[in-house]
Amino acid sequence: MADRNPRLVRMQVNGQPREGMAEPRLNLADFLRGELKLTGTHVGCEHGVCGACTVLVDGLSARSCLMLAVQADGCCVGTVEGLAPSEEALGPLQQAFHELHALQCGYCTPGILMSLTELLDSNPDPDEEQVRDVLSGHLCRCTGYQNIVAAALRAARVMREARQPGEGGRHAC
């Protein structure tokens, strides 16, 4: 018989301590959306193929539909809600997506933003091929990806110009 006893799960989400109850079989996407009310993480295929549910776990991209919430206990989780510096301003990657029309329906966008955040945190000067490699893990039915690539490269430039010497990525734990 399956263990259905909910467990307390504690984690840092977007820099804030958060906790909630999760059955051992509850995936991280459903925990974030249902228990923590962070609905920016979208669930598409539920098989880890589409990338819509991508979040950062301890600074690395993870498919939250494939990861159990209990596995994230004690981890640092980044979601799309944590990318903007405030409710009034967009982060550089979000701003570039807005300016270059890099989204249409927006369903896949949160996952794409999180994967590109990981890339830009680890590589402040990616080339088009590196951006496209990251995007190869995401399915988008509405765009041809060209504006997404352009937005990622623009955001990288803006972030490099704003970054202080010796400063690393801001989303790593």
Side-chain angles (χ1 to χ4, degrees), residues 1 12 22 28 34 45 58 62 72 75 81 94 100 105 121 128 140 145 153 159 163 165:
M1 182 166 190
Q12 291 282 326
L28 180 58
C45 68
D58 292 337
C75 292
E81 289 92 346
Q94 294 167 307
L100 296 177
C105 85
D121 280 350
E128 182 176 336
C140 176
Y145 297 93
L153 295 173
M159 293 166 70
R163 193 172 271 161

Side-chain angles (χ1 to χ4, degrees), residues 112-132:
I112 289 173
L113 288 169
M114 298 314 295
S115 289
L116 289 173
T117 295
E118 177 190 21
L119 172 66
L120 298 180
D121 280 350
S122 65
N123 179 0
D125 193 13
D127 60 27
E128 182 176 336
E129 182 179 338
Q130 291 165 318
V131 171
R132 287 189 180 279

Side-chain angles (χ1 to χ4, degrees), residues 55-125:
V55 297
L56 299 181
V57 177
D58 292 337
L60 301 175
S61 59
R63 301 295 206 238
S64 63
C65 74
L66 297 180
M67 183 175 188
L68 299 174
V70 295
Q71 291 175 293
D73 189 37
C75 292
C76 175
V77 176
T79 70
V80 70
E81 289 92 346
L83 294 182
S86 71
E87 289 188 26
E88 296 80 33
L90 296 174
L93 188 54
Q94 294 167 307
Q95 186 66 41
F97 265 60
H98 171 73
E99 291 170 358
L100 296 177
H101 310 287
L103 62 107
Q104 288 182 23
C105 85
Y107 198 83
C108 63
T109 305
I112 289 173
L113 288 169
M114 298 314 295
S115 289
L116 289 173
T117 295
E118 177 190 21
L119 172 66
L120 298 180
D121 280 350
S122 65
N123 179 0
D125 193 13

